[in-house]
Amino acid sequence: KNKKKNKKNKEMAARGALQVSRRALMNVEPPVFTRSRFDRRWNMMDEDRVKWYNWNLACIALTAVPALWMYTVNYRTSEETQILMRTLNPTGQEKIKYDMKLYG
């Protein structure tokens, strides 16, 4: 008796699960249509456009990093360079010649 009862309960549970899934499959949500030309749905083209803008922004930022670093870096060879330039050439009219053998 118990075996028959358990089998019957399992069949009823399976039938109930099938009915629930069948009802879920029959429920089709209607598409949302636009209400005006200014109110539109989000689609893949908009998502691709956002990705494209973000990639462009990242590329511009990465390109700007070396330029900003070169703008702010202290490219003088020593602290005394400016003092020596002012001492040797205070008016800025003379051309200072460097010994190129020193730089290898």
Side-chain angles (χ1 to χ4, degrees), residues 69-95:
W69 180 80
M70 289 188 292
Y71 181 73
T72 60
V73 72
N74 183 11
Y75 57 89
R76 302 284 181 201
T77 54
S78 68
E79 298 277 334
E80 293 85 15
T81 304
Q82 281 301 107
I83 298 168
L84 289 172
M85 295 289 266
R86 266 195 315 252
T87 305
L88 294 173
N89 187 14
T91 59
Q93 293 177 353
E94 296 294 323
K95 184 172 182 182

Side-chain angles (χ1 to χ4, degrees), residues 3-70:
K3 287 183 182 181
K4 283 185 179 181
K5 200 172 196 180
N6 286 341
K7 188 175 182 183
K8 193 171 186 179
N9 285 340
K10 286 181 183 178
E11 287 176 5
M12 287 177 64
R15 192 178 315 131
L18 285 173
Q19 284 178 351
V20 169
S21 66
R22 194 176 302 132
R23 284 188 190 129
L25 287 174
M26 289 172 60
N27 185 13
V28 177
E29 294 185 20
V32 178
F33 294 103
T34 55
R35 288 152 188 84
S36 71
R37 63 185 183 148
F38 303 109
D39 182 28
R40 28 179 239 155
R41 288 183 293 177
W42 181 265
N43 61 15
M44 294 295 286
M45 189 177 76
D46 293 328
E47 189 174 334
D48 289 344
R49 186 178 297 127
V50 167
K51 287 179 186 175
W52 178 256
Y53 290 158
N54 286 338
W55 270 110
N56 281 342
L57 197 62
C59 290
I60 289 169
L62 285 175
T63 304
V65 167
L68 291 173
W69 180 80
M70 289 188 292

